[in-house]
Amino acid sequence: MEIISKKRCIIGEGPIWNEKEGLLYFTNSREQEICVLDIYTKELKIIPTEVGGVAIAFDKSNRMIVSRRDGIFYLEDNIATPLYDTNKHQILHGNDMKVGPDGRIYVGTQSSKRLGLSNNVDGKLYSIDKDGNVRTLLDALLLSNGMDWSMDETRFYHTDSATRIIKEYLFDKVTGDIEFTDKSVYVQGVDGFTIDENDLLYVACWGQGHIAVVDTRDMTVIDHIDVPAKIPASCAFAGKGMNELVVVTADYKNASATDEYAGYTFKKEMSVCGRLPYLFG
């Protein structure tokens, strides 16, 4: 893998390719920064934010949406505008987030138990539509995390990282409903993930130093791709041909003391492609 940024993120999160700009966005979630990277020239722009974000999405007008500990917001010139009525819905400790094939936002939250705030296992997976309607799709999660959809848009993949299990759900593109298919796979260190044109999942494995490759036909791990840093946190396809696998990593708890490349961002040219991110609205 090639180093494309030596910006040492405490936790690099939420990588997403912006086709309109030809740039990669990701967050340095513990440092209240959004990173904007040209993956070819390696030019990096840092956008300081008042509240740290974990994941990023865009709408059809190219407005940026950020998942934060205080909710899900449009972020323009550091001015945060919620996507929904925050008096009616409390979406706290937002974690991984993507737009689905139906144009809705899908976002998971961390539980109070994982954050040490209480013993409540109250992490959730929500959907939010363009009219601000909020639905709870999954409840009683410790750490709602990686997610993506099959190429034919009929399956949804999601993990509660604390369980180390990725589950497959039937997905209804009209209603946004999901239904567990009873198919799942155990992946040590499972964190953020993405999918390729052949319906293979590429799973960042926290603390394992690799990306696990999962064949969704039978939900088995079929390969591993080594990452030069010990803590891969998430990955995404990017680039002009959507054939560059980008991996963000973490310098968590000062991992760089023993891991030279901790927190760096990498890319690997692949023989397969991913798909462009869906847009909200």
Side-chain angles (χ1 to χ4, degrees):
M1 283 194 174
E2 176 188 355
I3 296 170
I4 53 173
S5 175
K6 293 184 178 180
K7 163 73 177 175
R8 205 182 287 279
C9 294
I10 295 179
I11 304 181
E13 290 276 18
I16 182 170
W17 178 250
N18 184 307
E19 182 192 20
K20 289 184 178 179
E21 300 175 12
L23 296 169
L24 180 79
Y25 282 71
F26 58 97
T27 70
N28 182 8
S29 63
R30 296 297 179 95
E31 286 292 332
Q32 300 178 195
E33 295 175 331
I34 292 172
C35 302
V36 187
L37 178 65
D38 186 318
I39 67 172
Y40 301 107
T41 68
K42 303 181 183 178
E43 180 181 355
L44 178 68
K45 175 184 177 183
I46 303 294
I47 303 173
T49 59
E50 292 180 358
V51 179
V54 176
I56 297 167
F58 294 92
D59 73 1
K60 293 176 181 178
S61 299
N62 203 39
R63 289 188 296 173
M64 183 166 56
I65 301 164
V66 181
S67 166
R68 314 192 316 186
R69 66 173 179 266
D70 55 348
I72 315 305
F73 297 88
Y74 286 110
L75 192 63
E76 299 176 277
D77 299 322
N78 230 344
I79 298 172
T81 306
L83 273 67
Y84 53 90
D85 185 343
T86 54
N87 293 316
K88 185 177 179 182
H89 303 285
Q90 300 295 309
I91 302 178
L92 302 178
H93 311 299
N95 200 50
D96 206 359
M97 171 184 72
K98 286 182 179 177
V99 179
D102 53 354
R104 296 179 178 96
I105 283 280
Y106 290 79
V107 60
T109 60
Q110 299 186 57
S111 64
S112 300
K113 182 172 184 177
R114 185 179 184 278
L115 293 165
L117 302 175
S118 74
N119 285 321
N120 295 331
V121 182
D122 53 5
K124 295 177 175 63
L125 176 71
Y126 297 94
S127 69
I128 308 168
D129 70 18
K130 60 183 177 60
D131 297 318
N133 298 307
V134 176
R135 292 180 61 198
T136 300
L137 300 175
L138 297 173
D139 203 346
L141 305 174
L142 278 162
L143 177 56
S144 179
N145 216 336
M147 66 185 83
D148 219 323
W149 289 262
S150 62
M151 283 293 146
D152 66 5
E153 302 176 347
T154 65
R155 300 290 190 275
F156 173 67
Y157 301 96
H158 173 266
T159 185
D160 178 348
S161 277
T163 68
R164 301 177 178 85
I165 292 172
I166 299 172
K167 293 183 176 181
E168 180 189 75
Y169 298 82
L170 296 175
F171 178 74
D172 188 316
K173 188 175 175 179
V174 176
T175 64
D177 293 340
I178 61 174
E179 180 183 349
F180 183 42
T181 65
D182 291 326
K183 292 173 64 177
S184 63
V185 60
Y186 180 94
V187 182
Q188 181 68 32
V190 57
D191 207 319
F193 55 77
T194 190
I195 197 163
D196 77 4
E197 60 189 338
N198 298 316
D199 280 332
L200 300 182
L201 294 177
Y202 295 78
V203 184
C205 296
W206 181 276
Q208 306 303 304
H210 62 238
I211 302 294
V213 183
V214 173
D215 189 334
T216 60
R217 290 174 297 182
D218 56 6
M219 296 298 281
T220 57
V221 177
I222 60 170
D223 200 0
H224 294 88
I225 300 171
D226 289 338
V227 177
K230 183 71 173 177
I231 312 177
S234 191
C235 57
F237 280 94
K240 297 168 186 176
M242 290 300 290
N243 65 330
E244 302 282 357
L245 183 65
V246 172
V247 182
V248 290
T249 70
D251 182 20
Y252 187 64
K253 294 185 177 179
N254 197 32
S256 55
T258 57
D259 181 356
E260 180 181 1
Y261 302 121
Y264 286 9
T265 301
F266 305 87
K267 75 177 177 75
K268 177 180 176 63
E269 185 174 345
M270 304 290 287
S271 59
V272 293
C273 301
R275 74 173 151 226
L276 289 169
Y278 296 112
L279 301 175
F280 180 60

